[in-house]
Amino acid sequence: MEAFDYAKPSTLNEALQLATEANGGALMLAGGTDVIVQLREGRKSCSLLIDIKAIDEVNEFSCNEDGLTIGSAVPVYLITANEAIRSAFPGLVDAIGLVGGTQIQGRASVGGNLCNSSPAADTIPALIAHQATAVIAGPKGTREVAAEDFCVAPGQNVLEQGEILLSIKVPPQPSNGGAHYLRFIPRNEMDIAVVGVGACIELDESGDNFVSGRIAVGAVAPTPLYVPEAGEALAGQPVNDETIEKACAAAKAAAKPISDMRGSAAQRIHLTGVLTKRAINKAVERARQ
Amino acid sequence: MSSETSGSNGYKVIGTRPIRHDGIDKVIGRAVYGQDVSLPGMLHGAILRSPHAHATIKSIDTSEAEAHPGVKAIITARDLPALADQLSDLGENVVNLRDVSTNILAAGKALYHGHAIAAVAATTLNAAQEAVQKIKVEYEVQQPVLSVQDALAPDAPLLNPENKTKSLGEDTEEPSNIASYYQHKKGDIDKGFEDADVIFEREFDTATVHQGYIEPHNVVAQWNADESVIIWCSTQGSFTVQSQVADLLNMPVSRVRVIPTEIGGGFGGKVQVYIKPVAAVLSKHTGRPVRMVMDRHEVFQATGPAPGSNIKIKLGATNDGKLVAAYAYLAYEAGGFAGSVVGAAGTCVFACYDIPNVQIDGYDILCNKPKTSAYRAPGATNATFCTEAVIDEICEKLEIDPLEFRKRNGAKEGVSRADGPTYDRIGYIETLEAALAHEHYSAPLGDAPEGKARGRGVASGFWMNFAGQSAVNINVNGDGTVTLVEGSTDIGGTRASIAMQAAEVLHLEAEEVRPLVVDTEAIGFTEVTGGSRTTFATGLAAIEAAKDTLNKMKERAAKMLEVEADDIEYSNKVFSCKSNPEKKHTFQEVAEKTGQTGGPVVGSATTSPPSHGPAMATHIADVELDLETGKVDVIRYTAVQDVGKAIHPSYVEGQLQGGAAQGIGWALSEEYVYDDEGHLLNSSFLDYRMMTSLDLPMIDTVLVEVPAADHPYGVRGVGEVPIVPPPAAVANALYRAAGVRMEKLPMSPKNVLEAMGKI
Amino acid sequence: MSKKIHVQTTINGEEIDFLCEPRNSLLEVLRDNLKLTGSKEGCNNGNCGACNVIMDGRLVNACCVLGVEAEGADITTIEGIAEPDCLHPVQQCFLEDAALQCGVCTPGFIVSAKALLDSNPDPSEYDIRYWFAGNLCRCTGYDKIVRAVQHAAERKRETADV
């Protein structure tokens, strides 16, 4: 590994100061399960590694009638074990629980998964479907960015020099809403998603019709993909196979996957349709409960 | 109950399940593996590897690297002695030493992505790795050859313009990527196919796979002022490391001492040397011990995987289910240097069956991938995948139960193979009968959940098992225990099974025989731990050494009892006089007094058995297929095998389960993925996908015991054949679930969807 | 090479301090600085679990933690699993049930199994297999490992009830 310096600021301001002074040479360390491996393999480099885990704001999380807030360094096991979050945001917990095996879950954070900005990241399609926003702190103050706008290219995002992801906010879900995230992998765990689909839907009082839907697909484009057309195909339509099939077709049409060592383009387009259908069906089941 | 053992057990120790002697150290983390060895003043080595799959090396400039802080030495191929063509026997395959030398440090050409070009020794590993980055190499990149088909194309680039095909044992004049060609024939296959009522001819492609041992290659080498070297390493064979290093560095074997540490898996991949001679030379140049440990990327890129292959099988049978003709075309990738295991493949491809007319054509093909190596029953799994699938088609066509068909055609004592040998007593038919009788075979598959389908398949497999030389010494301790000294590095519990055989002869408890695995200076020549030979051959030496020890103890007892030695009989730890049974001493009493009866008692023996019977197996697999995604899960698995005699049944079961797990990974998800330029893309455990605990069911085992004729307890090597049937068993099960026959390995979700026509 | 940092931590109940560079992983520090070589390197990228330790109550891959992150932490390695005079039930069951062959993955599995049983005293087969997805074994096919953990769980529950 290339050498770097290490700092563990205890306040946000201290962290922002260090990040600015590093002049583009700083990387943030939360759980480290991505960044340590990347530094070791020379895929990333830095002159200063800033460990943010001593900063209060990034370690807090809350779940109440205003929605969900997850500090960017909160390890995923705390989220998936939290009863309130599991019952209010099951579709999000689906995704968060897939970030690596047991050992990774002890360290990795949702914020880190978002900042790593892999096109195949598991949390991001679910965050997009849930209308999450990223809260970013920087030298010029705080700003918010919608989850679907956060990633700009494989491994790259909107964070500018000197900025730090503070937290992720998720609005409360409607009472007739349901959500699900699932992915396809060749084994049963420990794989990067070949395709991942997050779906949030809202049904009307009768439960027989969609009011709205948000569908996002991972690993089929340079960034996790929000597919508004898929949601539009559901809005106001009856809950049946035909409607869902239209949403799937929209998702498949939007997908622009590559062929790589994890899957072929044709396979990914096919799986987009399969997983969109399964995600929506499960979301509907949850909405009706 | 996970296992049934169908033999009788009149033994005291054999067939029991004591805790292995090295167990405690291994569960508390105290056992010393190669990467744990540390010496004062030790330097760390790192290797510069080729970023290109096929390139001529125009120049290497190490000057900037040499100036890097902490660097003590840098070497390239020119620092290794020049060698003539010379063959070295590695146990399960034979290699050309000049190729081994060029493989460990490239001379003139980089022949695969990751080929070692130069090595650096420095005070820290980070310093060595930083210095590696500063070595400047000028390459002239050439088009790579990445498959059998690529290699055989008329305009294929030549990996080695000097290579001319050795055809049927004769040199030819044709420069080619075909390193060699052989043929086996039996009977007349043209006539055989004429007589057949049904004929199936199929072509298959299998991907390169790796042994996947969890512990990477490692070495600590210490060069000494007297021009000798000591090597600590994890290896399947200390003596083969000794001879390879001695040959590669032009030294007498006695100047190379190899001290084996515990070994974290080998499966055939830790026989050939890679970094050991390099570390030795770095130590020579620096005067300090040098440690080198491969990282996981290097293990995948630059150690020998199992060959990918292109295989054609044609089988003919009569309507009453008799195989009458069999043809195999086996083209195996050797990698950058000649010497794949295609020869062994030819032995195994039809070995389970009694077929009167056979022809096998085998080709060893050069390509720009790492030099392939042995992997658990090397060559057999690829070939068996194909044969067993075609047999399954024949069974379906003729409407004969697949196990019954195999019984009708199964090899037995007296049957001979196309490659020559005739079988002694073997237990193949017994494995079929045990499989037929097993509850798994008749159990309902159960309903698949919506969107999924289930199927059950069977397949058989064969591996030839090796004999080889072993030496064992036994020292009698003053407290009535014995120490057993042997040279077979222990990968799976063999020191226990070897100790148990000696204990049986000596009427001692397993715990009273303390096994030690020692280095090349402390024991006589012992062949590699491989070829499924260890419990068999080193066990034979242990038995003979125990008999020798017992004879000597009888003499001591006779002395103590003042009778003739032939008046002494021994039973259950007691020496007594036949003429007067009241006169007796325990083994311990005799052991306490050896100092007064003539000195220490040491028994010894060596063995080089003339034969070692083969291993045969039959497996049953149930799979569940997700019809929309192509994902296959193995939901139930039973491995039936003729094990001869299970010395320690738990560790025999473990061999069946471990081999089956590797075979299932080979079947479903393991493969080397290359880009068009020959870069290996998936050189990590993330994307080289081995089965995790969540991907496998419990693996039931049936140990059929048909005692082998060449061992007093009937032991037959068990370690390798378990990997052979799984890909075919899974493929045959998948056919019944999906309605498609897979012609490719792995049967990954993508390949299954393509075969089903869904993408 | 950057300036070394002085780290104070607790390992297997003992207060320990060491010097390391920021880029040294916890695994490197354990093995090279502290000579605790029980934790193994299998992949160095968080996929095999051979380096597992328990850090502040969580099972982690030591290759994915920096040595400097051990500051103030409470770490248990394989060397700290057994009592001075007896093995942990998981270790004993691994031996009795022959749940190891080459043994190199065993330290990682033992630490992982201890963490599992501390959090779930009665895991199902699925729970065990899911927990172990990040611990690779190439020798055993996992069958005997799963059974050993089931036995250890039973044994722990029995002694807890007494």
Side-chain angles (χ1 to χ4, degrees):
Chain A
M1 231 195 280
E2 273 176 27
F4 48 83
D5 289 322
Y6 169 88
K8 192 171 184 182
S10 42
T11 68
L12 180 59
N13 281 334
E14 215 184 306
L16 290 170
Q17 178 108 354
L18 287 166
T20 305
E21 283 165 8
N23 222 3
L27 284 176
M28 306 303 148
L29 174 71
T33 53
D34 280 323
V35 78
I36 291 174
V37 176
Q38 289 159 345
L39 287 167
R40 178 176 294 131
E41 300 192 345
R43 288 185 272 136
K44 283 203 169 121
S45 68
C46 67
S47 54
L48 174 67
L49 191 62
I50 302 176
D51 185 343
I52 62 172
K53 295 194 286 294
I55 301 169
D56 287 336
E57 293 91 316
V58 300
N59 289 319
E60 294 161 351
F61 65 97
S62 63
C63 179
N64 52 40
E65 61 278 359
D66 297 327
L68 173 64
T69 304
I70 307 178
S72 60
V74 176
V76 300
Y77 78 89
L78 283 177
I79 307 296
T80 57
N82 184 288
E83 271 313 311
I85 301 177
R86 290 163 67 89
S87 84
F89 296 93
L92 206 45
V93 171
D94 288 337
I96 294 173
L98 290 174
V99 171
T102 313
Q103 298 88 339
I104 303 292
Q105 297 253 320
R107 303 287 290 171
S109 64
V110 181
N113 194 243
L114 179 60
C115 290
N116 195 45
S117 303
S118 161
D122 282 314
T123 64
I124 307 180
L127 290 172
I128 293 172
H130 283 77
Q131 289 186 268
T133 50
V135 179
I136 300 169
K140 303 184 209 141
T142 311
R143 63 188 178 111
E144 295 191 8
V145 173
E148 60 265 32
D149 298 325
F150 189 86
C151 303
V152 302
Q156 291 172 46
N157 55 50
V158 298
L159 288 175
E160 283 170 18
Q161 205 171 302
E163 287 190 314
I164 298 176
L165 177 71
L166 265 190
S167 62
I168 294 163
K169 286 187 345 192
V170 186
Q173 299 297 289
S175 53
N176 293 329
H180 184 45
Y181 171 84
L182 80 167
R183 67 182 182 177
F184 179 75
I185 52 173
R187 293 180 292 180
N188 289 325
E189 241 300 338
M190 302 304 288
D191 285 333
I192 302 292
V194 178
V195 172
V197 174
C200 276
I201 56 98
E202 189 187 352
L203 301 179
D204 67 7
E205 280 300 320
S206 72
D208 294 331
N209 301 292
F210 290 105
V211 170
S212 66
R214 276 179 72 92
I215 312 291
V217 188
V220 296
T223 66
L225 197 61
Y226 171 47
V227 189
E229 301 86 350
E232 283 155 24
L234 299 176
Q237 299 301 316
V239 177
N240 59 31
D241 289 345
E242 204 189 314
T243 306
I244 294 174
E245 188 44 52
K246 292 205 179 97
C248 294
K252 285 169 75 169
K256 300 276 176 285
I258 57 171
S259 291
D260 65 10
M261 62 172 157
R262 295 175 184 144
S264 72
Q267 178 193 17
R268 286 179 158 123
I269 292 176
H270 171 82
L271 287 172
T272 300
V274 173
L275 296 184
T276 302
K277 177 182 64 176
R278 293 182 184 184
I280 294 174
N281 278 324
K282 179 77 179 178
V284 166
E285 195 187 300
R286 281 179 170 158
R288 285 172 171 167
Q289 275 163 358
Chain B
M1 169 79 147
S2 89
S3 165
E4 308 148 42
T5 312
S6 62
S8 64
N9 191 16
Y11 299 109
K12 194 168 161 251
V13 175
I14 301 228
T16 63
R17 301 173 189 249
I19 291 186
R20 59 195 274 177
H21 305 72
D22 56 319
I24 290 185
D25 277 355
K26 290 194 162 139
V27 297
I28 65 175
R30 194 165 60 195
V32 176
Y33 293 80
Q35 60 180 257
D36 305 328
V37 174
S38 185
L39 295 179
M42 191 171 74
L43 300 173
H44 298 263
I47 293 201
L48 171 69
R49 295 188 178 278
S50 169
H52 304 295
H54 192 192
T56 307
I57 300 168
K58 311 289 284 181
S59 67
I60 305 175
D61 178 2
T62 59
S63 51
E64 204 190 320
E66 282 167 36
H68 188 78
V71 169
K72 301 297 179 192
I74 300 186
I75 62 171
T76 63
R78 59 158 198 271
D79 296 295
L80 298 176
L83 295 174
D85 272 325
Q86 189 189 337
L87 295 180
S88 183
D89 186 343
L90 296 189
E92 287 196 300
N93 57 334
V94 173
V95 289
N96 183 318
L97 269 173
R98 193 159 60 171
D99 286 345
V100 178
S101 181
T102 312
N103 192 33
I104 66 178
L105 282 174
K109 263 191 112 170
L111 289 168
Y112 53 91
H113 173 211
H115 194 167
I117 308 289
V120 176
T123 48
T124 67
L125 182 56
N126 275 319
Q129 288 169 341
E130 286 159 2
V132 160
Q133 301 293 330
K134 291 182 172 176
I135 300 176
K136 297 189 186 32
V137 184
E138 213 188 311
Y139 296 101
E140 191 180 287
V141 181
Q142 293 166 251
Q143 192 193 327
V145 171
L146 296 174
S147 67
V148 164
Q149 290 89 337
D150 275 359
L152 298 177
D155 53 349
L158 290 176
L159 265 84
N160 179 1
E162 305 295 309
N163 178 75
K164 297 173 177 116
T165 308
K166 203 169 180 75
S167 181
L168 298 176
E170 301 294 321
D171 293 323
T172 64
E173 285 311 302
E174 190 65 33
S176 162
N177 288 323
I178 302 175
S180 65
Y181 160 61
Y182 72 84
Q183 185 182 76
H184 296 308
K185 268 171 127 147
K186 178 184 173 197
D188 175 349
I189 58 157
D190 291 326
K191 169 115 191 4
F193 282 120
E194 270 170 37
D195 291 344
D197 297 316
V198 297
I199 296 177
F200 283 87
E201 189 172 1
R202 297 281 180 255
E203 183 175 350
F204 303 84
D205 287 293
T206 76
T208 305
V209 296
H210 193 271
Q211 301 85 350
Y213 33 80
I214 303 300
E215 177 208 39
H217 290 251
N218 52 62
V219 58
V220 175
Q222 175 183 289
W223 192 268
N224 305 306
D226 63 354
E227 298 295 298
S228 70
V229 68
I230 305 177
I231 289 175
W232 290 260
C233 62
S234 296
T235 177
Q236 290 177 242
S238 348
F239 286 92
T240 184
V241 170
Q242 182 191 49
S243 66
Q244 287 179 70
V245 169
D247 288 343
L248 289 168
L249 301 186
N250 238 347
M251 301 164 68
V253 276
S254 61
R255 309 265 84 206
V256 179
R257 178 178 181 195
V258 179
I259 302 178
T261 60
E262 299 297 343
I263 169 175
F267 312 112
K270 286 189 181 153
V271 176
Q272 186 159 336
V273 298
Y274 301 99
I275 48 179
K276 300 166 179 75
V278 175
V281 176
L282 285 172
S283 180
K284 180 176 181 181
H285 284 225
T286 60
R288 291 166 67 166
V290 174
R291 176 205 280 172
M292 297 184 74
V293 180
M294 283 195 183
D295 71 24
R296 183 52 55 182
H297 291 291
E298 292 180 290
V299 172
F300 279 121
Q301 284 175 8
T303 65
S309 56
N310 173 248
I311 296 175
K312 300 179 183 116
I313 301 284
K314 182 176 176 184
L315 293 178
T318 56
N319 280 326
D320 62 347
K322 269 302 290 164
L323 286 167
V324 289
Y327 174 73
Y329 162 87
L330 306 166
Y332 278 46
E333 293 171 7
F337 301 90
S340 79
V341 291
V342 65
T347 298
C348 300
V349 62
F350 300 130
C352 289
Y353 306 108
D354 179 6
I355 310 175
N357 304 294
V358 178
Q359 182 174 317
I360 300 163
D361 289 321
Y363 294 86
D364 187 43
I365 310 275
L366 298 176
C367 63
N368 292 109
K369 293 184 180 176
K371 181 187 179 334
T372 59
S373 204
Y375 175 21
R376 204 165 197 163
T381 306
N382 317 42
T384 304
F385 165 66
C386 310
T387 301
E388 294 293 298
V390 178
I391 287 183
D392 203 57
E393 286 204 75
I394 293 175
C395 292
E396 188 188 25
K397 179 87 189 203
L398 297 179
E399 293 179 359
I400 301 176
D401 173 275
L403 292 177
E404 286 295 343
F405 180 90
R406 287 170 172 84
K407 273 182 75 175
R408 257 174 246 190
N409 293 280
K412 4 175 151 33
E413 189 169 355
V415 167
S416 43
R417 291 195 310 258
D419 59 306
T422 302
Y423 289 121
D424 272 324
R425 183 102 174 75
I426 50 173
Y428 176 51
I429 303 293
E430 285 85 340
T431 69
L432 295 166
E433 287 165 350
L436 271 164
H438 197 283
E439 177 268 329
H440 182 175
Y441 197 61
S442 50
L445 261 178
D447 293 324
E450 202 188 317
K452 297 191 174 183
R454 292 185 177 179
R456 175 170 298 153
V458 300
S460 293
F462 164 94
W463 179 250
M464 58 188 112
N465 290 345
F466 284 88
Q469 307 166 62
S470 287
V472 169
N473 293 333
I474 293 180
N475 303 316
V476 176
N477 300 318
D479 59 1
T481 65
V482 306
T483 302
L484 186 155
V485 179
E486 50 119 338
S488 287
T489 56
D490 183 355
I491 321 184
T494 48
R495 89 191 78 188
S497 65
I498 291 162
M500 288 167 73
Q501 292 176 67
E504 187 70 43
V505 171
L506 293 169
H507 297 193
L508 295 177
E509 312 299 326
E511 299 74 28
E512 291 173 322
V513 177
R514 309 189 55 76
L516 283 182
V517 177
V518 299
D519 68 75
T520 53
E521 285 186 359
I523 191 66
F525 181 89
T526 297
E527 192 57 83
V528 297
T529 298
S532 307
R533 67 173 298 269
T534 314
T535 298
F536 170 79
T538 306
L540 274 173
I543 290 167
E544 293 305 309
K547 286 183 188 169
D548 186 35
T549 306
L550 201 51
N551 282 339
K552 288 168 173 165
M553 290 291 278
K554 277 187 184 168
E555 281 166 20
R556 302 305 183 88
K559 215 169 188 176
M560 288 165 74
L561 294 170
E562 293 171 330
V563 297
E564 292 301 311
D566 55 18
D567 193 16
I568 296 285
E569 61 186 1
Y570 177 74
S571 179
N572 282 328
K573 302 193 201 180
V574 177
F575 296 96
S576 55
C577 291
K578 294 177 203 169
S579 52
N580 180 2
E582 294 304 302
K583 289 176 77 166
K584 59 190 174 189
H585 279 303
T586 65
F587 189 94
Q588 187 173 339
E589 286 164 353
V590 178
E592 278 164 9
K593 295 272 191 298
T594 55
Q596 287 130 50
T597 57
V601 170
V602 174
S604 72
T606 67
T607 182
S608 180
S611 67
H612 183 186
M616 333 267 298
T618 299
H619 291 192
I620 309 169
D622 289 356
V623 305
E624 184 172 277
L625 165 70
D626 184 317
L627 292 160
E628 287 181 317
T629 66
K631 185 171 187 312
V632 177
D633 275 297
V634 175
I635 55 176
R636 185 169 178 183
Y637 202 89
T638 303
V640 181
Q641 184 172 323
D642 170 17
V643 304
K645 180 71 199 159
I647 301 295
H648 191 314
S650 301
Y651 289 101
V652 174
E653 291 156 6
Q655 291 298 312
L656 271 63
Q657 292 166 333
Q662 286 179 312
I664 293 170
W666 196 328
L668 293 179
S669 59
E670 294 180 38
E671 60 179 321
Y672 269 29
V673 180
Y674 286 91
D675 66 17
D676 293 335
E677 287 151 10
H679 300 115
L680 178 61
L681 298 175
N682 62 333
S683 58
S684 85
F685 282 143
L686 175 60
D687 290 300
Y688 180 82
R689 286 181 270 270
M690 306 188 333
M691 297 282 99
T692 73
S693 57
L694 196 57
D695 297 306
L696 291 168
M698 293 296 189
I699 299 170
D700 292 333
T701 59
V702 178
L703 308 184
V704 172
E705 290 180 320
V706 175
D710 32 28
H711 187 285
Y713 300 135
V715 168
R716 196 184 281 287
V718 301
E720 291 173 277
V721 78
I723 201 176
V724 179
V730 171
N732 293 340
L734 179 57
Y735 170 69
R736 285 163 184 73
V740 289
R741 295 268 178 205
M742 295 302 294
E743 290 165 356
K744 257 193 209 185
L745 283 180
M747 296 175 279
S748 62
K750 174 179 88 74
N751 288 345
V752 171
L753 284 180
E754 281 173 0
M756 291 171 76
K758 298 205 167 179
I759 59 171
Chain C
M1 163 139 130
S2 52
K3 211 156 160 199
K4 288 191 178 171
I5 295 182
H6 180 218
V7 177
Q8 291 176 290
T9 186
T10 303
I11 299 183
N12 297 329
E14 265 184 56
E15 281 170 18
I16 303 257
D17 66 321
F18 57 83
L19 287 175
C20 73
E21 292 182 62
R23 61 179 163 172
N24 295 135
S25 69
L26 176 60
L27 181 63
E28 284 165 38
V29 166
L30 288 172
R31 291 179 48 80
D32 299 333
N33 300 39
L34 304 177
K35 306 303 181 196
L36 293 168
T37 56
S39 308
K40 305 299 178 197
E41 178 186 317
C43 70
N44 232 354
N45 71 354
N47 278 289
C48 77
C51 66
N52 278 176
V53 299
I54 296 172
M55 185 163 165
D56 292 332
R58 304 306 307 178
L59 182 69
V60 302
N61 292 317
C63 68
C64 290
V65 175
L66 296 177
V68 294
E69 293 183 274
E71 177 66 37
D74 186 6
I75 295 172
T76 304
T77 71
I78 178 66
E79 290 90 348
I81 300 290
E83 298 296 313
D85 59 348
C86 73
L87 298 175
H88 188 283
V90 167
Q91 290 167 315
Q92 188 62 37
C93 289
F94 262 60
L95 290 178
E96 290 172 15
D97 296 338
L100 65 149
Q101 287 180 33
C102 80
V104 82
C105 73
T106 303
F109 267 97
I110 302 274
V111 172
S112 184
K114 178 199 185 316
L116 167 62
L117 295 183
D118 285 349
S119 73
N120 182 353
D122 193 5
S124 66
E125 181 186 337
Y126 181 83
D127 291 337
I128 296 171
R129 288 184 179 279
Y130 185 85
W131 186 274
F132 280 148
N135 289 90
L136 289 180
C137 173
R138 197 53 164 167
C139 294
T140 67
Y142 307 102
D143 183 299
K144 291 183 189 297
I145 290 176
V146 172
R147 291 180 201 276
V149 174
Q150 288 170 328
H151 288 154
E154 209 178 291
R155 207 168 281 188
K156 275 195 78 176
R157 289 195 301 273
E158 280 164 13
T159 49
D161 291 337
V162 163

